[in-house]
Amino acid sequence: MWNSSLAFLLLEREDFRVQLTVLVLDRDPLLLQSVGRILRPHRVLQATGGLLGLTYLRSGQRVDGVLAGVDLGGLTGPEVLMELSLEYPELATRFAFMAPHSAMLASEGVPILGRPPNPEALRAWTATLRREDPRVQNRRLYS
């Protein structure tokens, strides 16, 4: 007899094997390191500015999500989001801010994970990215 709850648990365990690549943008190298540790075992790419982050994306590298501070020096976090909306609309929907909660950013509908980001909020955000990941979706279709 097929146990559907057991199948769901197995699928959820498989989902955790999908390693995401997250691009983290911030001016503070210590914050970048801290976020990198929290996001393990995912692959974390770090850039100390918005322009560096966009350059990385434009080089053709695959990224599953972008986490950015607001004041990046040069381009701001909202400006990076605007560029992503134009060039990589699918990635713009997988974007979150590291910022104190503010009405200006909240009105954009983009997740705000705090600054420094709350570890549980970071893990919840990556869990959402993982659930929406096509690699996980395909695995569910064929399981």
Side-chain angles (χ1 to χ4, degrees):
M1 180 170 183
W2 178 249
N3 185 335
S4 60
S5 61
L6 179 60
F8 178 75
L9 287 173
L10 290 173
L11 283 173
E12 285 298 308
R13 292 188 81 183
E14 282 292 310
D15 292 353
F16 284 103
R17 292 185 186 165
V18 173
Q19 183 184 39
L20 301 174
T21 300
V22 178
L23 177 60
V24 183
L25 312 173
D26 200 87
R27 291 172 59 169
D28 182 351
L30 294 177
L31 183 66
L32 289 172
Q33 288 178 353
S34 174
V35 170
R37 281 191 300 274
I38 294 168
L39 289 178
R40 282 185 194 142
H42 301 296
R43 181 173 174 233
V44 178
L45 308 171
Q46 302 171 348
T48 54
L51 189 55
L52 285 173
L54 286 174
T55 301
Y56 182 81
L57 291 172
R58 289 172 178 150
S59 73
Q61 297 298 315
R62 182 181 180 281
V63 173
D64 299 302
V66 178
L67 180 62
V70 175
D71 180 15
L72 302 173
L75 287 178
T76 65
E79 289 169 336
V80 169
L81 178 57
M82 187 182 316
E83 289 291 323
L84 287 178
S85 298
L86 296 172
E87 295 180 46
Y88 309 97
E90 71 288 348
L91 194 53
T93 64
R94 301 168 69 80
F95 186 97
F97 282 112
M98 292 183 293
H101 295 279
S102 77
M104 177 194 79
L105 294 175
S107 67
E108 300 294 321
V110 175
I112 302 171
L113 306 182
R115 183 178 174 88
N118 175 305
E120 290 305 313
L122 272 174
R123 290 184 192 106
W125 178 68
T126 56
T128 300
L129 295 178
R130 191 174 26 251
R131 279 192 301 275
E132 297 170 354
D133 191 292
R135 295 170 293 180
V136 173
Q137 297 300 321
N138 290 338
R139 191 175 289 152
R140 287 182 178 158
L141 288 174
Y142 299 108
S143 295

